[in-house]
Amino acid sequence: MSKNNNGVEHVVEDHLDMVLDVIARLRTKPYGFMTSEDVSQEAFIIAQKVIKKWDGVRSLEHFLMASISRRLISLSRVYYRNTARRAAIDFLELDDQ
């Protein structure tokens, strides 16, 4: 598999039905604050990024499912961690007044 962007686009285009099927299954799961539309959009972007790492030996479907799911969970954690920090800072600022 080629490492340039044209190679990645080619792989995504060749397996678009599988990518969309994986995204359809992932969008039914709760990922924190994200709506199903948010999950679909993020998952498609993530798929384009992680497909570069696919070695062609493993099942692309399982590779995408695991990779995208892990990244969506990480996005949720970062969101909640940052939200908790902002809330704590706001609370401390209110306490100082």
Side-chain angles (χ1 to χ4, degrees):
M1 183 173 84
S2 175
K3 292 292 183 183
N4 62 22
N5 284 339
N6 292 333
V8 171
E9 290 171 4
H10 180 69
V11 172
V12 171
E13 287 175 8
D14 286 352
H15 300 286
L16 186 59
D17 289 337
M18 184 183 304
V19 171
L20 294 176
D21 181 51
V22 168
I23 290 170
R25 285 188 282 155
L26 288 171
R27 72 181 288 174
T28 63
K29 299 179 181 183
Y31 289 101
F33 66 96
M34 289 188 264
T35 65
S36 61
E37 290 81 15
D38 293 335
V39 170
S40 297
Q41 292 172 2
E42 289 294 331
F44 192 77
I45 292 168
I46 293 167
Q48 290 178 330
K49 292 178 182 178
V50 301
I51 208 157
K52 297 174 192 175
K53 298 178 183 177
W54 181 52
D55 58 10
V57 175
R58 296 175 282 175
S59 162
L60 178 60
E61 183 178 7
H62 294 139
F63 174 79
L64 287 172
M65 184 67 87
S67 298
I68 295 170
S69 181
R70 281 194 305 264
R71 296 243 180 140
L72 290 171
I73 290 168
S74 292
L75 280 173
S76 296
R77 285 182 186 146
V78 167
Y79 174 80
Y80 283 117
R81 190 176 307 131
N82 290 339
T83 301
R85 286 182 187 146
R86 283 192 299 271
I89 290 169
D90 290 345
F91 179 76
L92 291 175
E93 287 175 354
L94 286 174
D95 196 39
D96 288 342
Q97 293 178 358

